[in-house]
Amino acid sequence: MAVIERLLALTLAGVAFSIGGTALAGEQPIRDQVVAAMQRDVAMRMATFAEKIETCRSERRRNLPRLDAGALEAFQLSRDMWVDAIGHLSFRNRDACDRAERLELAYAFGALAAVRTEYGLGPDPLAHDVLTKTIYPDANRQELAVHYGAMPEAARAHLERTLGTAPFDLGGVLSQLGHQ
């Protein structure tokens, strides 16, 4: 929830900044007009991304796949391995749900950064924070992906068939694991 609230706050701040800049557009140097227009584009894409996150979150709440405890036990894997694998698939499915909007926002930030560099301006103050905390996966998520890749292919295939490709209720699925 904090990420979405932060995105919305940053979006509103960006829109307020760009609206203020628009009133003086004729008086501003072209460089400032270009940067302001690109900041408005980033703000618009942030708002779209935040809306999509909410849509995906709603879908996730409605989707609770059922695990077959007997099938999981047959693979003779630790509970921690299952938790990591299910966590990885939860992130993968969530990212797939908002991928288009995530990519559009990353592109807008990248374009803004390139233009700011070309104009000799410093980095955009909110770009690093938003990119690293919202758009790109952190080290923990990368570790989950590595653990998932180390699982036997048959166990991965079983989980993928069971959990599908849509966002799902991670807590609800994990609660089905019990205390193996």
Side-chain angles (χ1 to χ4, degrees):
M1 187 63 102
V3 171
I4 293 174
E5 290 170 356
R6 183 158 172 79
L7 269 176
L8 291 174
L10 291 172
T11 299
L12 292 175
V15 170
F17 171 79
S18 65
I19 290 170
T22 304
L24 303 173
E27 301 170 23
Q28 289 182 327
I30 188 69
R31 175 192 78 174
D32 294 346
Q33 292 178 49
V34 168
V35 170
M38 294 182 84
Q39 287 172 326
R40 284 190 301 275
D41 184 52
V42 166
M44 179 194 70
R45 292 177 194 284
M46 276 185 174
T48 301
F49 181 51
E51 289 171 10
K52 186 61 175 187
I53 287 172
E54 282 303 319
T55 300
C56 295
R57 182 174 282 150
S58 293
E59 185 175 343
R60 184 177 73 218
R61 280 186 225 119
R62 291 188 311 268
N63 185 14
L64 180 57
R66 297 286 172 204
L67 296 178
D68 178 349
L72 296 182
E73 288 174 15
F75 289 108
Q76 298 181 342
L77 299 173
S78 72
R79 182 178 192 286
D80 287 345
M81 287 184 78
W82 288 117
V83 168
D84 285 353
I86 293 167
H88 164 71
L89 291 175
S90 174
F91 283 124
R92 182 201 70 181
N93 292 4
R94 186 198 70 190
D95 289 351
C97 183
D98 64 28
R99 178 167 286 125
E101 292 79 7
R102 181 182 304 266
L103 291 173
E104 289 291 325
L105 180 56
Y107 178 84
F109 268 125
L112 176 59
V115 166
R116 288 182 66 90
T117 298
E118 188 174 336
Y119 283 141
L121 302 172
D124 188 285
L126 64 97
H128 175 74
D129 192 38
V130 172
L131 289 173
T132 58
K133 293 184 177 162
T134 309
I135 299 195
Y136 299 124
D138 62 11
N140 183 51
R141 287 178 55 190
Q142 297 297 339
E143 291 170 12
L144 290 176
V146 169
H147 289 249
Y148 181 74
M151 286 182 76
E153 173 61 34
R156 289 193 318 257
H158 174 76
L159 268 185
E160 290 190 23
R161 277 191 310 275
T162 302
L163 299 176
T165 58
F168 58 86
D169 179 351
L170 177 61
V173 171
L174 290 177
S175 71
Q176 296 174 44
L177 286 178
H179 301 289
Q180 297 176 346

